[in-house]
Amino acid sequence: MGEANRLIFAVLQKEDYKATLKELNEKKIFVTRLSSSGGFLQKENVTIMIGVEEDRWQETVDILKAKAGRRKETIYAMPEPSAAGSMYSQMGAPVPIERETGGVTIFTMELQKLEKF
């Protein structure tokens, strides 16, 4: 393995951690999970630390964006009952609502050296 010369700290939503970790590990990019707290997009977050070679930095960032970046999702919510009590609201048919989810913040620093023992 070549010398790692970039250090990435990535803060992502807890829901995105497992899929992101799986993809990175399949590409032989290994991460260290750090204990972190705080609100990120009003959801629980995870911070990971990744040491990568210069020539694998873009690949790593692309995986982080694909697995943990912002995206649209459709959720189904129950409509509010109307004052008139229409048949539709009484049946309680869910209404599709599109919302933005996910999000990753990436901090990259240059490394002089990385050693594993």
Side-chain angles (χ1 to χ4, degrees):
M1 182 175 180
E3 185 174 326
N5 54 16
R6 294 240 180 148
L7 179 64
I8 298 172
F9 285 98
V11 182
L12 51 135
Q13 289 184 6
K14 184 179 178 181
E15 298 83 29
D16 295 329
Y17 173 70
K18 285 184 182 179
T20 303
L21 179 68
K22 182 177 186 262
E23 181 74 17
L24 288 167
N25 285 175
E26 285 176 358
K27 302 288 187 189
K28 305 269 190 259
I29 300 168
F30 302 104
V31 308
T32 300
R33 181 177 175 169
L34 304 173
S35 295
S36 63
S37 62
F40 182 69
L41 299 175
Q42 302 173 344
K43 294 194 175 196
E44 193 172 344
N45 64 29
V46 172
T47 302
I48 57 176
M49 181 174 64
I50 309 166
V52 295
E53 296 82 9
E54 180 80 28
D55 62 347
R56 298 204 64 200
W57 179 82
Q58 189 62 54
E59 174 188 10
T60 304
V61 169
D62 290 344
I63 291 169
L64 291 167
K65 286 180 184 178
K67 294 296 180 181
R70 292 183 190 255
R71 60 200 173 273
K72 300 252 187 231
E73 74 175 1
T74 302
I75 61 169
Y76 294 87
M78 298 303 288
E80 293 289 325
S82 68
S86 73
M87 184 98 125
Y88 179 75
S89 64
Q90 288 176 358
M91 290 177 8
V95 176
I97 299 171
E98 191 173 90
R99 69 174 185 170
E100 191 172 87
T101 189
V104 60
T105 301
I106 300 169
F107 302 89
T108 302
M109 294 173 266
E110 290 186 22
L111 275 180
Q112 291 181 341
K113 190 173 187 179
L114 172 71
E115 295 179 323
K116 294 182 181 183
F117 301 103

